[in-house]
Amino acid sequence: MTSTSQPTGSALLVRGGEAELLGLPSGGGFGLLTDSEETGAALSASRLTLADGADGAQPHRHLLSSEFFYVLDGAAEFLLGDEIQPLGKGDFLVIPPGLPHAFGAVRGSGADLLVGITPGVQRFGYFRMLQRVAEGRDRPESLIPVQERYDVHFLDGATWQIARRGRPSAE
Protein backbone atom coordinates (compact mmCIF):
# COMPACT_ATOMS: atom_id res chain seq x y z
CA MET A 1 0.00 0.00 0.00
CA THR A 2 1.38 3.41 -0.84
CA SER A 3 0.81 6.60 1.08
CA THR A 4 -2.34 8.31 -0.10
CA SER A 5 -1.93 12.02 0.31
CA GLN A 6 -4.50 14.39 -0.98
CA PRO A 7 -4.00 18.11 -1.55
CA THR A 8 -6.71 20.26 0.04
CA GLY A 9 -6.24 23.77 -1.32
CA SER A 10 -2.59 24.36 -0.52
CA ALA A 11 -2.56 21.91 2.40
CA LEU A 12 -1.42 18.30 2.39
CA LEU A 13 -3.71 15.78 4.08
CA VAL A 14 -2.83 12.17 4.86
CA ARG A 15 -5.82 10.37 6.33
CA GLY A 16 -5.39 7.99 9.27
CA GLY A 17 -4.99 4.42 8.04
CA GLU A 18 -3.91 5.47 4.54
CA ALA A 19 -0.17 5.77 5.18
CA GLU A 20 2.08 3.01 3.89
CA LEU A 21 2.97 0.71 6.80
CA LEU A 22 6.32 -1.07 7.07
CA GLY A 23 6.35 -3.68 9.82
CA LEU A 24 9.46 -4.58 11.76
CA PRO A 25 10.30 -8.12 12.92
CA SER A 26 10.74 -6.94 16.52
CA GLY A 27 7.20 -5.55 16.49
CA GLY A 28 6.09 -2.05 15.64
CA GLY A 29 6.99 -0.37 12.38
CA PHE A 30 6.98 2.75 10.25
CA GLY A 31 3.91 4.64 9.10
CA LEU A 32 5.10 6.71 6.14
CA LEU A 33 3.18 9.99 6.32
CA THR A 34 4.78 12.36 3.81
CA ASP A 35 8.02 12.57 1.90
CA SER A 36 9.88 15.64 0.70
CA GLU A 37 8.51 15.63 -2.85
CA GLU A 38 4.96 15.96 -1.48
CA THR A 39 5.88 19.00 0.66
CA GLY A 40 8.13 20.89 -1.76
CA ALA A 41 11.13 19.68 0.30
CA ALA A 42 9.78 21.42 3.43
CA LEU A 43 9.75 18.25 5.52
CA SER A 44 9.46 14.48 5.64
CA ALA A 45 7.38 12.83 8.36
CA SER A 46 6.68 9.34 9.65
CA ARG A 47 5.28 7.59 12.68
CA LEU A 48 7.52 4.99 14.28
CA THR A 49 6.30 2.47 16.81
CA LEU A 50 8.89 0.46 18.70
CA ALA A 51 8.30 -2.69 20.74
CA ASP A 52 9.37 -2.94 24.38
CA GLY A 53 13.08 -2.04 24.56
CA ALA A 54 13.57 -2.14 20.76
CA ASP A 55 16.27 -0.08 19.07
CA GLY A 56 15.07 2.65 16.74
CA ALA A 57 18.30 3.85 15.15
CA GLN A 58 21.98 3.29 15.73
CA PRO A 59 24.28 6.34 16.10
CA HIS A 60 24.20 8.65 13.12
CA ARG A 61 23.93 12.32 12.23
CA HIS A 62 22.32 14.42 9.56
CA LEU A 63 24.45 17.09 7.92
CA LEU A 64 21.71 18.98 6.07
CA SER A 65 18.57 18.63 8.18
CA SER A 66 17.18 18.94 11.68
CA GLU A 67 15.24 15.95 12.96
CA PHE A 68 12.36 16.19 15.42
CA PHE A 69 10.66 13.62 17.64
CA TYR A 70 7.36 13.87 19.51
CA VAL A 71 6.58 11.04 21.93
CA LEU A 72 2.94 10.13 21.34
CA ASP A 73 3.02 7.31 23.87
CA GLY A 74 5.47 5.19 25.86
CA ALA A 75 9.06 6.05 26.64
CA ALA A 76 12.25 6.32 24.61
CA GLU A 77 15.87 7.11 25.29
CA PHE A 78 18.09 9.15 23.04
CA LEU A 79 21.83 9.37 22.70
CA LEU A 80 22.59 13.07 22.11
CA GLY A 81 26.30 13.46 21.55
CA ASP A 82 27.69 11.48 24.51
CA GLU A 83 24.67 11.87 26.82
CA ILE A 84 21.61 9.68 27.25
CA GLN A 85 18.32 11.58 27.53
CA PRO A 86 15.05 9.82 28.45
CA LEU A 87 11.81 11.08 26.89
CA GLY A 88 8.24 10.25 27.83
CA LYS A 89 4.75 10.84 26.52
CA GLY A 90 4.32 14.45 25.42
CA ASP A 91 8.04 15.24 25.20
CA PHE A 92 9.36 16.95 22.06
CA LEU A 93 12.98 16.92 20.87
CA VAL A 94 14.70 18.75 18.00
CA ILE A 95 18.13 17.52 16.94
CA PRO A 96 20.13 20.06 14.93
CA PRO A 97 22.29 19.16 11.92
CA GLY A 98 25.57 17.53 12.87
CA LEU A 99 24.60 16.29 16.36
CA PRO A 100 25.30 12.56 16.74
CA HIS A 101 22.23 10.73 17.98
CA ALA A 102 20.56 7.35 18.37
CA PHE A 103 17.32 6.23 19.97
CA GLY A 104 15.26 3.30 21.12
CA ALA A 105 12.34 2.34 23.34
CA VAL A 106 13.12 2.09 27.03
CA ARG A 107 13.25 -1.43 28.49
CA GLY A 108 9.83 -2.16 29.96
CA SER A 109 8.08 0.17 27.52
CA GLY A 110 7.32 0.52 23.86
CA ALA A 111 7.45 3.90 22.15
CA ASP A 112 5.18 5.61 19.64
CA LEU A 113 7.00 8.50 17.96
CA LEU A 114 6.12 11.15 15.42
CA VAL A 115 9.37 11.78 13.54
CA GLY A 116 10.16 14.51 11.04
CA ILE A 117 13.10 15.95 9.22
CA THR A 118 13.37 19.45 7.84
CA PRO A 119 14.23 20.53 5.26
CA GLY A 120 12.79 17.39 3.82
CA VAL A 121 14.89 14.59 2.41
CA GLN A 122 13.33 11.69 0.54
CA ARG A 123 13.21 9.16 3.37
CA PHE A 124 10.66 6.55 2.32
CA GLY A 125 13.23 4.65 0.25
CA TYR A 126 15.56 4.61 3.25
CA PHE A 127 12.84 3.25 5.55
CA ARG A 128 12.05 0.52 3.03
CA MET A 129 15.75 -0.40 3.01
CA LEU A 130 15.76 -0.49 6.83
CA GLN A 131 12.82 -2.87 6.77
CA ARG A 132 14.65 -5.20 4.36
CA VAL A 133 17.75 -5.13 6.58
CA ALA A 134 15.67 -5.81 9.71
CA GLU A 135 14.03 -8.78 7.98
CA GLY A 136 17.38 -10.15 6.81
CA ARG A 137 16.60 -9.61 3.11
CA ASP A 138 19.48 -7.10 2.78
CA ARG A 139 22.76 -6.77 4.65
CA PRO A 140 23.39 -3.74 6.88
CA GLU A 141 26.28 -2.79 4.57
CA SER A 142 23.73 -2.00 1.83
CA LEU A 143 22.99 1.24 3.71
CA ILE A 144 26.55 2.58 3.47
CA PRO A 145 26.44 3.70 -0.19
CA VAL A 146 23.20 5.67 0.35
CA GLN A 147 24.33 7.79 3.33
CA GLU A 148 24.66 10.98 1.26
CA ARG A 149 21.40 10.41 -0.63
CA TYR A 150 19.34 10.09 2.56
CA ASP A 151 21.49 12.42 4.75
CA VAL A 152 22.05 9.63 7.28
CA HIS A 153 25.73 9.38 8.20
CA PHE A 154 26.58 6.39 10.39
CA LEU A 155 28.86 6.71 13.41
CA ASP A 156 30.61 4.44 15.90
CA GLY A 157 28.05 2.82 18.16
CA ALA A 158 30.14 1.76 21.19
CA THR A 159 28.75 4.39 23.61
CA TRP A 160 25.20 3.60 22.58
CA GLN A 161 25.69 -0.16 22.80
CA ILE A 162 27.19 0.15 26.28
CA ALA A 163 24.28 2.33 27.40
CA ARG A 164 21.68 -0.02 25.90
CA ARG A 165 23.23 -3.40 26.67
CA GLY A 166 26.12 -2.79 29.03
CA ARG A 167 28.75 -3.77 26.44
CA PRO A 168 29.80 -2.98 22.86
CA SER A 169 28.12 -5.08 20.19
CA ALA A 170 30.09 -7.60 18.13
CA GLU A 171 29.46 -5.66 14.88
Side-chain angles (χ1 to χ4, degrees):
M1 178 176 177
T2 60
S3 176
T4 306
S5 52
Q6 179 179 2
T8 304
S10 61
L12 173 70
L13 171 64
V14 179
R15 297 266 181 207
E18 293 182 350
E20 180 180 356
L21 300 176
L22 303 176
L24 295 172
S26 62
F30 296 99
L32 306 182
L33 299 173
T34 190
D35 219 351
S36 66
E37 70 271 3
E38 297 168 322
T39 65
L43 67 95
S44 301
S46 61
R47 183 173 181 175
L48 175 60
T49 55
L50 297 171
D52 181 341
D55 283 330
Q58 294 300 306
H60 65 284
R61 66 181 173 182
H62 308 287
L63 299 178
L64 306 174
S65 300
S66 293
E67 188 168 25
F68 64 84
F69 296 84
Y70 180 75
V71 182
L72 298 164
D73 201 9
E77 59 185 358
F78 285 76
L79 174 69
L80 302 171
D82 290 327
E83 296 182 22
I84 302 293
Q85 179 68 51
L87 275 73
K89 183 176 180 176
D91 289 345
F92 181 71
L93 172 67
V94 178
I95 299 171
L99 181 65
H101 61 285
F103 60 93
V106 173
R107 285 190 186 114
S109 177
D112 187 1
L113 307 168
L114 175 64
V115 184
I117 193 163
T118 184
V121 175
Q122 291 186 9
R123 299 289 296 246
F124 288 5
Y126 179 70
F127 294 137
R128 291 178 188 116
M129 289 180 75
L130 286 176
Q131 180 190 39
R132 290 191 303 271
V133 167
E135 292 174 342
R137 294 187 289 142
D138 280 343
R139 298 185 49 77
E141 297 80 25
S142 68
L143 299 170
I144 293 170
V146 298
Q147 293 180 89
E148 293 291 330
R149 177 178 177 189
Y150 295 117
D151 191 25
V152 177
H153 304 273
F154 306 112
L155 303 169
D156 174 52
T159 301
W160 180 242
Q161 292 302 323
I162 291 168
R164 297 283 286 171
R165 293 175 184 77
R167 59 181 163 63
S169 69
E171 292 178 37

